[in-house]
Amino acid sequence: QVQLVESGGGLVQAGGSLRLSCAASGRTFSSYVMGWFRQAPGKEREFVAAITWTGGSTFYADSVKGRFTISRDNAKKTMYLQMDSLKPEDTAVYYCNAGPSVLTMKSSGSWGQGTQVSVSS
């Protein structure tokens, strides 16, 4: 099992940027697919982005493609989400996830506690 801690959330104006970090503990960090999900009030938790253990493949929700960039540093056991051109609809609690695959990570992966991102118009 891997433990995850997110940081970097905050309040930003529309058009601004934030960088989220997810620090992991556990010796098998590099074997997990890592990803970000978000949940806005009254909505279901939704996929944002994911990255394979080598970092060679990345996946993005259509709503964030071209604005968000996911990356990871296996030596530091840390994953990042660079969020640019933020919009009010990006406002949500952002959760870090580590799982066995992109398809199964939401149902069977490990979760962090979440970090709030708020974008004002």
Side-chain angles (χ1 to χ4, degrees):
Q1 196 81 358
V2 62
Q3 288 76 47
L4 305 169
V5 178
E6 303 95 335
S7 62
L11 174 64
V12 65
Q13 288 188 331
S17 297
L18 281 174
R19 189 194 196 202
L20 304 183
S21 298
C22 173
S25 61
R27 291 181 293 178
T28 58
F29 171 79
S30 61
S31 65
Y32 287 94
V33 173
M34 302 291 295
W36 292 94
F37 290 75
R38 66 187 182 186
Q39 188 166 18
K43 295 187 177 181
E44 292 188 359
R45 191 171 298 189
E46 65 175 5
F47 171 79
V48 175
I51 185 167
T52 55
W53 74 274
T54 62
S57 294
T58 56
F59 308 86
Y60 296 95
D62 288 343
S63 59
V64 307
K65 202 171 294 183
R67 300 187 298 120
F68 291 10
T69 303
I70 189 171
S71 61
R72 66 189 290 171
D73 186 334
N74 287 343
K76 295 182 178 180
K77 295 185 177 181
T78 302
M79 176 181 64
Y80 307 97
L81 185 68
Q82 178 66 40
M83 305 186 294
D84 299 318
S85 302
L86 282 161
K87 303 176 181 180
E89 50 264 45
D90 294 318
T91 295
V93 177
Y94 282 70
Y95 295 90
C96 174
N97 179 289
S101 72
V102 175
L103 292 178
T104 61
M105 62 192 311
K106 185 177 182 181
S107 60
S108 59
S110 298
W111 296 94
Q113 83 289 350
T115 185
Q116 177 70 46
V117 171
S118 299
V119 184
S120 63
S121 57

